[in-house]
Amino acid sequence: MTSPDLPANPPTLHDVAREAGVSLATASRSLNGSARTVREPYREKVLAAAARLGYTPNLSAQAVAKGSTMTVALLVADIADPYFSSIAAGVIRAADDVGLVVTMAATERDTRRELELVRAMRGQRPRVLILAGSRVEGDENELALRAELEAFQSTGGRVTLISQNTLPFETVLLDNFEGARALAASLVELGYRRFAAISGVASLRTARDRLTGFRAGLADHGIDLSDDDVAVTAFTRDGGYAGAEQLIPRITDFDLVFAVNDVMAVGAMSALRDAGIAPGVEVGVAGYDDIPTVRDVTPALTTVRIPLEEVGARALALAMGTGEQSAPIATEVILRASTPRRG
Amino acid sequence: MTSPDLPANPPTLHDVAREAGVSLATASRSLNGSARTVREPYREKVLAAAARLGYTPNLSAQAVAKGSTMTVALLVADIADPYFSSIAAGVIRAADDVGLVVTMAATERDTRRELELVRAMRGQRPRVLILAGSRVEGDENELALRAELEAFQSTGGRVTLISQNTLPFETVLLDNFEGARALAASLVELGYRRFAAISGVASLRTARDRLTGFRAGLADHGIDLSDDDVAVTAFTRDGGYAGAEQLIPRITDFDLVFAVNDVMAVGAMSALRDAGIAPGVEVGVAGYDDIPTVRDVTPALTTVRIPLEEVGARALALAMGTGEQSAPIATEVILRASTPRRG
DNA sequence: AACGGTTCGGAATACGCTTTCCCAAATCGT
DNA sequence: ACGATTTGGGAAAGCGTATTCCGAACCGTT
């Protein structure tokens, strides 16, 4: 009389215990092979029963009982952006290695939303909360965010930031300043002299560090980069496109355009081409990050490599207390066809 | 005498109730504004107390009590691959809109691992399980995977597959056959006549459908694509590179190379260039998917657009019973510079 | 053979929350 | 104005697990 496949409930530990003819406690102990031992006649029975029933422990129940979960929460600005998806891949891989599962959400570069997401994620009682994505200084939600993170921390949670050493939490530090400085040095060595840049707003820490680092590198060689030669736009491909458009009227004044990240550089190259200017030939282009795409664009893009997956892995290690705190991530200048040696 | 900030426990509903001077039940009812109403003196007190304490409901406990979670599990082959990260972005956005949180893992294209991950994910008791990633037919783990998914389904879970109509579950169907066929028609119309292809193994459903569709499109115009002219390799950028290398010795026999997905096409273009052959000039190149990268490579790649984020969103909608089952995803041929009109 | 000490299964309790169930109080009908 | 009905707070019973505590069975001494 019963409907053939009405949604039965998943087997519980109780079912396993009954099936095996033992108590709940014995069943539990047999399955998570923990502290106390279970003697052989029993243990085997439980394992068999569990297999027979296709038992999978309810992680929520486990979390309630043990008072802690096995999850890490990851917040990124934009999942489809290769910068973040590479980092996410690193986090997920590392998490997986230690038996943690990661839940992910996208802030869409909106700090209001980021705050909401942190609140929502806290409901999961994750062991770790990782925030990636450039933070704006002096944002109206900064205080609330900080308070939320501190509350999380004070209840035993670990929080790790990626790159954005804006907030007082453990951070995977990318030395954006030094990376950009080294890039500038390499470019000068190649013969470039007249520079322009495309950057994000100065309150964006990452953008600012890269720009000032680049400036410092130029200054080391007595070259100046005036504010007039810096286009300020959004931190996206389309931002890079728009930034290049601003520079194009005076493009003959420059022999190199530095975009503070690769997606912007790619957008800039596109704008240049659309304006009939050959990137890498009439004007050099350089970016930052070394996302996978940039070795496949033409000309291949000169950039500063960040080992993105490693950054993700490191973020988790840091939170778990596994990683060496201080060791900064090593970056490396990668010279490609977009910056040929110049006369 | 107590250490200043030893990890206190997060406030519980019990704390809130006490702080507000009401019972547990009243506190619970006030907070999730459900069925029964709570009168004003009480309700306000509870809300205030919750705010004061910074209370965030423990989702695990809620899940145990209600017998259901608000999570969706997403399994993809590779998170850093733009194809999957775009789909993931769509899933996450859609999930977020309906208050679901998504937990994500990567199968690394290993079916053994995929099976393990499904098992692990089941522990979360997600409402929905979404599998993306090309499945190999006749895989040794296929039976076990299928059994696992069916078990999940029989306990009320919803499973949705993306693209891979290999298993008997709800699927977001991409008409790979028709898309490739339309592409072939467009290319013939542009004047191409001598075709080569780079594909994955035939047991990979997606690869096979695209290849047979492409063949069908050519056949419509009386053109044949021999097996000798199809390089079979891995479904990755490097696979595409290797595939092109196979074809290069005979490259003058062809006027167009079709790679069954964009990352392979990008790899192929790279191989061609490395061999001194100008893609788009000496030989046309076409791909499939329209990942973001391909409009920025040079020449920009001709491809078949799949609205990837929409696919992700649709997968979730399907599982939630919100989407129109049958409506197949609309694909569209995008002609770009990699396939200029010929002759 | 008797005794203290160890091992380990089972009953019971706890975890944080939702949801019945009970019953006093408030509301309504006439 | 009084009984019938609705309203809504509180106690308590779960949800599926882990774990403490108890006591019976087992061990090695002497």
Side-chain angles (χ1 to χ4, degrees), chain A residues 20 30 34 53 56 77 90 99 102 106 130 146 153 166 168 171 196 230 233 267 301 305 343:
Chain A
S30 302
S34 68
L53 266 47
T56 310
V102 3
I130 299 178
R146 181 170 165 169
Q153 219 174 217
T166 288
T171 301
V230 177
T233 69
L301 187 70
R305 166 173 302 160

Side-chain angles (χ1 to χ4, degrees), chain B residues 12-13 25 28-29 32 36 55 58 62 65:
Chain B
T12 79
L13 186 58
S28 173
R29 290 195 273 247
N32 38 20
R36 283 186 37 176
Y55 171 73
N58 181 323
Q62 282 191 168

Side-chain angles (χ1 to χ4, degrees), chain B residues 115-332:
Chain B
L115 179 56
E116 283 168 5
L117 286 174
V118 169
R119 293 215 171 100
M121 288 301 199
R122 282 194 62 193
Q124 306 217 31
R125 305 285 186 269
R127 276 173 128 72
V128 179
L129 179 53
I130 299 178
L131 299 193
S134 27
R135 186 162 321 296
V136 171
E137 292 180 354
D139 182 271
E140 52 173 336
N141 295 305
E142 185 174 328
L143 243 66
L145 178 62
R146 181 170 166 169
E148 199 71 26
L149 293 178
E150 274 165 355
F152 176 62
Q153 219 173 217
S154 77
T155 58
R158 316 284 269 134
V159 6
T160 305
L161 271 32
I162 289 182
S163 168
Q164 47 195 16
N165 39 0
T166 288
L167 260 25
F169 298 95
E170 283 188 312
T171 302
V172 176
L173 217 49
L174 302 178
D175 199 339
N176 290 312
F177 183 92
E178 279 306 329
R181 181 175 185 163
L183 174 63
S186 297
L187 294 172
V188 170
E189 199 281 322
L190 282 174
Y192 290 91
R193 292 293 178 272
R194 296 169 300 136
F195 295 85
I198 300 175
S199 179
V201 289
S203 56
L204 218 49
R205 181 65 184 255
T206 304
R208 195 181 56 199
D209 285 353
R210 291 179 181 179
L211 186 59
T212 58
F214 193 74
R215 272 206 167 103
L218 295 182
D220 291 343
H221 297 274
I223 300 175
D224 188 57
L225 175 61
S226 136
D227 275 349
D228 295 342
D229 300 337
V230 177
V232 174
T233 69
F235 229 51
T236 63
R237 178 192 181 283
D238 292 345
Y241 191 100
E245 281 182 324
Q246 290 179 39
L247 297 173
I248 283 173
R250 302 186 294 129
I251 197 70
T252 51
D253 293 349
F254 311 116
D255 55 18
L256 190 129
V257 175
F258 167 56
V260 296
N261 74 27
D262 281 349
V263 294
M264 294 173 86
V266 165
M269 284 178 55
S270 176
L272 290 172
R273 242 187 320 261
D274 287 354
I277 302 163
V281 180
E282 298 177 53
V283 63
V285 179
Y288 204 114
D289 287 341
D290 197 35
I291 60 175
T293 296
V294 300
R295 62 173 180 162
D296 288 319
V297 299
T298 311
L301 187 69
T302 284
T303 191
V304 179
R305 165 173 302 160
I306 302 176
L308 294 171
E309 296 213 8
E310 184 187 332
V311 167
R314 188 82 79 91
L316 187 61
L318 227 184
M320 305 294 288
T322 315
E324 314 95 59
Q325 300 282 109
S326 45
I329 295 282
T331 65
E332 178 189 1

